[in-house]
Amino acid sequence: MTREEIESREDESMMDAPQINKPKPEEFFNVNYLRIYYGNLFPYSDIHKWLSYGHDGKHPGCDEYYFGRREFSFTLENDVYLRYKSFKNASSMEDAIRSHFPYKIDIGAVYSVDPDKRHAYSQTGSNVFTPVERELVFDIDITDYDDVRYCCSGADVCSKCWPLMTVAIKVIHTSLTEDFGFKHILWVFSGRRGVHCWVCDPKARRMTNEQRSAVAEYFRVYKGNENNARKVALMGYSLHPFLARSYVDYLKGFFEGELQATQSIFSTKDKYEKILAMISDEDIQSELRGKWENSARSSLSEEAISLVRWEQLKNTLQSKKHKAPTLRMCVEEIVFTFTYPRIDLEVSKQMNHLLKAPFCVHPKTGRVCVPIDPNNCDEFDPLAVPTLSQLIEEINSGGSRMDVDDDSDDSDTSLLGKSVKFFRSSFLEPLLKSCKEEIESSYKTKIGKSKDSLSW
Amino acid sequence: MEVIRSQKRTPSNDTVSNPKIPLYLSAPQMEVRLEEFELFAVDRLRVLKGVSDGLARGRNPKEMDDLVDTLWKEHMRDPDASVMLNKDIISHFVLRLVYCRSDELKKWFLSMETALFRHRFRLQNFEAQRAIVGEFGLPYKAVTGAELEGLKERLGQVVRSLGQISPTVEAVYYKVPFEEVPDLVASRRVLIQKGFAFVAGSQLVSLVVTQFRSHISKALILTNRKWTTTIREREKDRLTPIVEALSTSYLGPDYSQSTEYAEISLKDIDQVAKSSFPLCMRHLFEKVREDHHLKHGGRMQLGLFLKGVGLKLDDALAFWRAEFTKKVGSERFDKEYAYSIRHNYGKEGKRTDYTPYACQKIILSAPGAGDHHGCPYRHFSEDNLRAALGRMGLSSRGMEGVMDQVRNKHYQLACTMTFEAVYGTSCDAGINHPNQYFEESQKILKSKTPPAPV
């Protein structure tokens, strides 16, 4: 189901120009399918449990209104957009989704008051409606790599370029856990061409915009636009330990291995000129260009040619890198340009930014936004993710004994069941356990304090 | 802080620990004379505006350190250290009142005070800096022993990644939650492990600036509340008018008395307009010559400028008469226009000697249809501005720099760049008054022309 239209990044809307000779969207995504999906398959109670963060009302320390202060937004058929929706509990959320059948559900921040009652508080003049908590989120989209992937462009994704996402997950996930000490991280397939990351630790949820911005900038390496050839500039005499670890553990191996096989980035003149432009010394450029132009007629495979040329480039730069400061880490810069994660900074920087909910269905592909296991992300194949029509087919053929809300159902081997099970066991359960511990301990502290104040 | 009219002054209690840079944590318990209230604030405002100018010009941190040092010595110094400290504290709190009153004012004040604090901090020695960190009551522990040993290699990597070829890992590192040093995290200037950043002693400034900024930001909100609920009304005859005037004040010379440099006579005026007038006045002048008329806004802006430039009243009358009578006739000129020219020179009515407009005022004016006053960098369309700059002799490269400033709404910087391009020299002070442009220009031209042979 690959599509050939070139779409701009912002154009995630439903309003496609009429397409000729393409599979009709209705064949894999339509309101009827959505009805069935949201009627039988969407894991309402798991989502509710997650976003309640332990405030299930069963402990005196719980804030029973916490879930109700979370903003959701629905995008309906024909681009109708409903913001500031909020729900008291799981069943009112389910009722709302099953009456609208939204094409997309976004999750926003937890606010100081119920989003749908925000106007009631605005008469006081001061701004009482503000975000109070929000997961730290990241959005990586493969179209941001279009200048370094040759197999696809735009909305397309294939097994040759998807590994870029795999590497991105590894680099970011390692940093989030090792450097920042976060523990409750959920990675989700965006449904078509990218991944989202939700960091759900309490510390993360309480970060200010400035702090989010700092983390996003910490991850940022690629700068610039079509006007600069050298978009990764690594200054100094060594890499920062985070970048060094990423390079040694993930990027170098990927670049010299899988990337050469799938992209052959040196095999044609167009391709290698782009790389030569990253070397800020004309003499070195000419030297290499000379070697490669002459060896154009070779019987080696594209991949082999690429590897040979890469070795030549490395050797040349190694011997000449003292010529100028900008050559010092030129090799690393090239590797980073082709492999290092490119996150969408704007998504991460603001608390009120909305992001698509896990387990939504992508309208353009019909695929479900399923979680990805960061510790096994090499195995994830975006083209094997269950689609709406496959799920419906499964239901119709009686193949699934699905009762998604039944937590005890371990024998569920249906297409979606595997993902829900993973969500529960690797993410939700550890998260809820730690949330409950936190609620309990802060309650005890509060009680302890008031006890002290009563003593004479 | 109590504002009084008497001569009495009691010493401040805020100097208990006598830090070199006060943290403005609480309003000082002292009495302030009314005159000092305004004077101190104006001096501090000069410093803040100097900081703002420096930042807008993209000065690097070292240059900003020097700038702040100079500004502070120029405006805030006093031989008596405790007087100097009092002035520092009082002026800050007065300006809080002035700048708490809108989001835009708050944002500016917060940025400038934070920048001022940052560079004053950087100018202190390490001991003084540590003392200030202590003042904030920050609970950070120094990393020692085995933990430090284990981190040494990576700390060295961080230092090398910042451009130092041989890593000198400092003696002292603080283990700080990464949330407290966002700017160090963002620029990858620290090692981060399990949620903690390892901040070098020399990077303390980041820590304290974040704290300072956060504190002032909260304080401004509280001050605003107090202002709107009680202070503004209570002080409406005393402090409120001063406070309201302070945020829009122009702080340079007023050019109401022309200097020897600037005396021009009628016969030189065309030549001088071409060589030394800033764009706004050139435009108005050209329009007078062309249309033999100017509407009121233009007459005021140009007329007062010409007064500041040294045109005597009689010459001014002659100039305007010569042009206007071509359109409206001599009788109408005497009846309708001559009076107001004399008025501008303080020879009529309440005899106020009006001062020529500063850039600030000109930029804020709103020229309508048929008007030619205002600031061309702001009020002209891009094409018209380019054409006008071309006529002033700017190359296309020089023009790009100017247009860039215009796009960023830095109109005075655009005019300054024009000045620098036309005269081939730098103007560090920045243009903030058309008469200043004229005087500087005349200085340069006079220094280039050889003295007339005897």
Side-chain angles (χ1 to χ4, degrees):
Chain A
M1 277 185 247
T2 53
R3 318 189 79 202
E4 274 122 356
E5 78 266 42
I6 297 180
E7 284 174 310
S8 67
R9 184 121 178 31
E10 299 89 308
D11 193 48
E12 281 277 348
S13 73
M14 295 305 302
M15 295 310 238
D16 278 334
Q19 311 287 348
I20 321 165
N21 296 333
K22 294 204 159 61
K24 295 219 193 78
E26 302 82 64
E27 288 172 18
F28 51 83
F29 184 91
N30 57 59
V31 178
N32 292 321
Y33 283 179
L34 274 187
R35 256 180 234 281
I36 302 176
Y37 181 74
Y38 285 118
N40 301 284
L41 300 174
F42 184 81
Y44 294 98
S45 101
D46 293 277
I47 299 286
H48 173 257
K49 279 187 191 149
W50 164 33
L51 297 177
S52 299
Y53 288 103
H55 291 285
D56 55 9
K58 292 182 185 153
H59 185 281
C62 282
D63 174 1
E64 48 181 312
Y65 302 110
Y66 180 85
F67 182 75
R69 298 203 307 271
R70 166 82 64 171
E71 180 191 359
F72 292 85
S73 77
F74 290 171
T75 306
L76 310 182
E77 200 171 1
N78 296 326
D79 258 353
V80 175
Y81 185 59
L82 305 173
R83 242 200 106 165
Y84 298 113
K85 298 201 76 61
S86 58
F87 314 111
K88 267 188 347 207
N89 50 36
S91 62
S92 48
M93 176 177 76
E94 182 169 348
D95 288 342
I97 293 176
R98 290 174 67 169
S99 67
H100 287 108
F101 298 110
Y103 276 25
K104 188 159 83 107
I105 304 173
D106 286 315
I107 300 175
V110 178
Y111 284 83
S112 49
V113 297
D114 276 21
D116 63 6
K117 298 195 181 73
R118 66 195 182 284
H119 294 308
Y121 294 87
S122 61
Q123 282 117 18
T124 55
S126 54
N127 196 4
V128 200
F129 178 68
T130 92
V132 180
E133 278 190 19
R134 203 278 192 273
E135 295 74 9
L136 174 63
V137 294
F138 299 97
D139 178 1
I140 309 176
D141 185 307
I142 210 161
T143 51
D144 287 337
Y145 293 75
D146 279 356
D147 60 314
V148 294
R149 56 174 182 149
Y150 298 110
C151 48
C152 314
S153 70
D156 295 336
V157 120
C158 71
S159 57
K160 287 186 173 178
C161 50
W162 182 260
L164 286 167
M165 295 289 101
T166 309
V167 166
I169 294 175
K170 288 178 185 171
V171 168
I172 304 285
H173 189 79
T174 306
S175 183
L176 288 172
T177 51
E178 292 303 313
D179 300 341
F180 293 98
F182 293 125
K183 299 193 170 73
H184 303 286
I185 303 171
L186 175 70
W187 288 91
V188 185
F189 175 50
S190 75
R192 182 164 59 162
R193 60 194 197 199
V195 294
H196 295 161
C197 176
W198 299 77
V199 183
C200 304
D201 296 50
K203 220 173 41 148
R205 300 192 325 257
R206 287 168 207 148
M207 281 169 73
T208 64
N209 287 353
E210 192 191 2
Q211 291 157 351
R212 287 160 204 267
S213 192
V215 175
E217 288 293 336
Y218 177 85
F219 287 142
R220 182 194 204 197
V221 169
Y222 182 89
K223 289 182 190 178
N225 50 42
E226 319 80 57
N227 297 326
N228 356 21
R230 186 172 151 249
K231 296 176 182 113
V232 171
L234 298 170
M235 310 302 283
Y237 289 89
S238 94
L239 292 172
H240 181 279
F242 155 58
L243 298 179
R245 179 191 63 216
S246 305
Y247 182 72
V248 167
D249 289 355
Y250 306 118
L251 303 180
K252 183 170 194 288
F254 175 66
F255 183 88
E256 294 182 341
E258 193 167 0
L259 191 74
Q260 299 303 335
T262 54
Q263 303 289 333
S264 319
I265 59 177
F266 289 92
S267 56
T268 68
K269 185 161 171 69
D270 279 342
K271 289 183 183 178
Y272 68 62
E273 279 301 331
K274 196 149 69 172
I275 298 178
L276 288 178
M278 296 183 212
I279 303 173
S280 55
D281 182 294
E282 299 262 335
D283 295 332
I284 300 180
Q285 284 189 23
S286 317
E287 188 185 324
L288 290 167
R289 189 179 290 119
K291 284 196 183 126
W292 299 345
E293 266 164 8
N294 292 334
S295 65
R297 277 160 287 130
S298 160
S299 58
L300 293 173
S301 69
E302 279 200 344
E303 181 184 346
I305 294 174
S306 269
L307 285 167
V308 165
R309 289 178 177 172
W310 175 237
E311 287 303 315
Q312 286 173 330
L313 190 152
K314 275 200 293 187
N315 291 333
T316 312
L317 273 172
Q318 181 58 34
S319 58
K320 301 244 166 86
K321 71 174 170 190
H322 306 289
K323 274 181 85 177
T326 47
L327 291 174
R328 224 182 272 141
M329 287 200 275
C330 191
V331 169
E332 287 85 345
E333 282 174 359
I334 295 173
V335 173
F336 272 79
T337 303
F338 279 87
T339 63
Y340 182 83
R342 301 178 185 188
I343 64 175
D344 183 343
L345 295 164
E346 289 314 306
V347 170
S348 308
K349 286 182 171 180
Q350 305 243 15
M351 280 177 96
N352 57 12
H353 201 288
L354 292 145
L355 191 62
K356 185 159 63 179
F359 294 103
C360 271
V361 184
H362 197 294
K364 301 250 167 73
T365 59
R367 297 200 193 270
V368 181
C369 302
V370 292
I372 300 176
D373 182 356
N375 298 317
N376 274 312
C377 48
D378 287 309
E379 318 270 299
F380 181 82
D381 178 2
L383 301 172
V385 172
T387 64
L388 253 192
S389 41
Q390 285 170 349
L391 293 173
I392 310 280
E393 179 65 41
E394 190 184 44
I395 293 185
N396 290 341
S397 64
S400 72
R401 262 180 73 260
M402 283 204 66
D403 184 359
V404 192
D405 282 338
D406 184 352
D407 300 335
S408 61
D409 190 342
D410 282 340
S411 63
D412 185 353
T413 51
S414 65
L415 288 173
L416 196 60
K418 279 195 284 245
S419 293
V420 176
K421 225 170 19 169
F422 172 76
F423 179 83
R424 275 179 203 155
S425 59
S426 322
F427 169 70
L428 193 56
E429 272 151 35
L431 173 67
L432 290 181
K433 181 161 177 283
S434 118
C435 285
K436 293 196 170 157
E437 279 164 9
E438 203 209 341
I439 292 176
E440 228 183 274
S441 79
S442 68
Y443 181 70
K444 281 199 184 123
T445 322
K446 222 166 44 168
I447 298 281
K449 277 198 186 131
S450 56
K451 273 211 186 114
D452 287 343
S453 69
L454 284 175
S455 66
W456 294 91
Chain B
M1 189 168 71
E2 240 200 85
V3 185
I4 50 165
R5 282 192 174 278
S6 80
Q7 299 296 312
K8 190 164 56 126
R9 173 98 69 71
T10 51
S12 153
N13 289 336
D14 203 47
T15 55
V16 163
S17 46
N18 206 8
K20 282 194 151 176
I21 309 176
L23 302 182
Y24 318 109
L25 293 173
S26 56
Q29 298 299 310
M30 61 175 100
E31 290 170 332
V32 181
R33 295 204 295 270
L34 192 61
E35 309 82 68
E36 283 175 344
F37 185 90
E38 184 173 6
L39 276 164
F40 287 177
V42 167
D43 281 339
R44 192 184 193 90
L45 200 50
R46 287 181 204 278
V47 174
L48 293 182
K49 288 201 171 171
V51 169
S52 176
D53 199 51
L55 291 172
R57 285 161 174 283
R59 297 268 180 256
N60 68 41
K62 179 77 181 56
E63 288 167 335
M64 284 303 295
D65 289 344
D66 296 334
L67 176 63
V68 163
D69 198 28
T70 310
L71 286 167
W72 195 263
K73 289 197 173 109
E74 196 177 322
H75 299 294
M76 299 294 287
R77 193 164 50 176
D78 192 288
D80 182 338
S82 73
V83 168
M84 192 161 117
L85 186 63
N86 284 350
K87 183 171 172 184
D88 186 351
I89 297 172
I90 292 168
S91 60
H92 172 88
F93 279 92
V94 173
L95 287 183
R96 266 198 212 177
L97 274 178
V98 177
Y99 284 89
C100 70
R101 297 168 301 130
S102 82
D103 282 344
E104 207 183 305
L105 290 173
K106 267 192 251 177
K107 201 170 152 193
W108 185 86
F109 182 72
L110 189 61
S111 294
M112 297 312 131
E113 281 284 338
T114 304
L116 176 64
F117 179 82
R118 175 193 296 274
H119 295 287
R120 285 178 75 192
F121 186 88
R122 282 165 56 104
L123 289 164
Q124 303 297 315
N125 65 38
F126 188 58
E127 280 313 308
Q129 289 185 346
R130 282 183 70 170
I132 294 171
V133 174
E135 286 283 316
F136 273 112
L138 300 172
Y140 306 130
K141 298 236 159 44
V143 182
T144 51
E147 196 182 1
L148 187 59
E149 273 310 303
L151 296 168
K152 265 218 164 87
E153 189 188 327
R154 281 181 295 154
L155 289 173
Q157 254 183 321
V158 175
V159 175
R160 294 189 76 217
S161 77
L162 296 172
Q164 259 182 269
I165 189 161
S166 58
T168 39
V169 173
E170 293 183 30
V172 185
Y173 277 84
Y174 294 89
K175 187 172 174 177
V176 169
F178 78 87
E179 293 94 334
E180 313 258 343
V181 284
D183 52 335
L184 292 177
V185 169
S187 49
R188 292 193 292 265
R189 302 180 78 86
V190 281
L191 174 68
I192 305 179
Q193 186 175 265
K194 292 299 186 196
F196 287 97
F198 293 91
V199 179
S202 62
Q203 291 173 313
L204 274 178
V205 60
S206 215
L207 257 175
V208 292
V209 167
T210 310
Q211 295 291 323
F212 181 83
R213 195 192 173 90
S214 154
H215 159 65
I216 302 288
S217 178
K218 293 188 191 123
L220 281 172
I221 296 175
L222 291 172
T223 308
N224 186 34
R225 222 168 271 166
K226 267 196 252 172
W227 170 260
T228 42
T229 52
T230 41
I231 306 179
R232 182 173 58 192
E233 183 53 36
R234 189 181 72 198
E235 291 291 341
K236 71 174 191 286
D237 297 320
R238 197 172 65 144
L239 300 182
T240 302
I242 301 176
V243 165
E244 286 174 351
L246 273 170
S247 57
T248 52
S249 57
Y250 160 73
L251 296 172
D254 61 12
Y255 300 99
S256 54
Q257 309 299 323
S258 53
T259 68
E260 43 162 317
Y261 264 131
E263 235 175 68
I264 59 168
S265 68
L266 208 45
K267 65 178 168 57
D268 301 327
I269 204 172
D270 283 281
Q271 201 243 7
V272 145
K274 263 215 193 73
S275 68
S276 293
F277 278 15
L279 188 57
C280 51
M281 302 304 175
R282 252 174 91 115
H283 178 67
L284 281 167
F285 188 81
E286 280 167 11
K287 283 297 169 188
V288 171
R289 286 288 191 221
E290 212 178 285
D291 301 338
H292 314 297
H293 192 269
L294 262 189
K295 291 178 106 176
H296 179 261
R299 294 200 300 273
M300 291 300 283
Q301 190 174 311
L302 181 61
L304 289 170
F305 171 75
L306 291 174
K307 185 178 78 146
V309 137
L311 194 66
K312 300 238 182 329
L313 175 58
D314 294 331
D315 284 343
L317 281 166
F319 166 72
W320 292 104
R321 170 187 283 273
E323 286 303 330
F324 274 50
T325 47
K326 288 180 190 153
K327 246 222 175 122
V328 301
S330 174
E331 237 185 77
R332 253 188 86 188
F333 176 78
D334 287 330
K335 245 196 341 200
E336 292 176 20
Y337 299 101
Y339 179 87
S340 57
I341 295 168
R342 294 170 56 83
H343 198 271
N344 283 349
Y345 278 73
K347 300 284 186 255
E348 300 285 1
K350 62 181 174 166
R351 316 235 165 200
T352 315
D353 203 5
Y354 289 99
T355 52
Y357 298 163
C359 289
Q360 209 169 7
K361 188 173 170 112
I362 294 173
I363 289 171
L364 288 173
S365 62
D371 282 325
H372 295 291
H373 61 279
C375 174
Y377 298 99
R378 181 174 179 213
H379 298 118
F380 276 22
S381 71
E382 183 169 331
D383 290 335
N384 287 346
L385 185 55
R386 281 179 187 273
L389 290 172
R391 286 198 296 277
M392 278 186 89
L394 255 68
S395 68
S396 49
R397 190 151 59 114
M399 229 183 275
E400 283 321 307
V402 174
M403 295 315 291
D404 210 37
Q405 296 290 4
V406 168
R407 257 171 246 125
N408 289 321
K409 299 199 165 92
H410 297 313
Y411 308 116
Q412 288 168 249
L413 288 178
C415 189
T416 309
M417 284 189 91
T418 305
F419 181 96
E420 290 175 342
V422 167
Y423 300 107
T425 173
S426 72
C427 173
D428 286 325
I431 298 294
N432 46 37
H433 199 296
N435 288 88
Q436 174 206 9
Y437 186 109
F438 180 84
E439 281 188 10
E440 294 298 321
S441 157
Q442 285 282 292
K443 266 193 218 152
I444 291 170
L445 294 174
K446 290 216 168 103
S447 72
K448 286 187 180 159
T449 51
V454 176

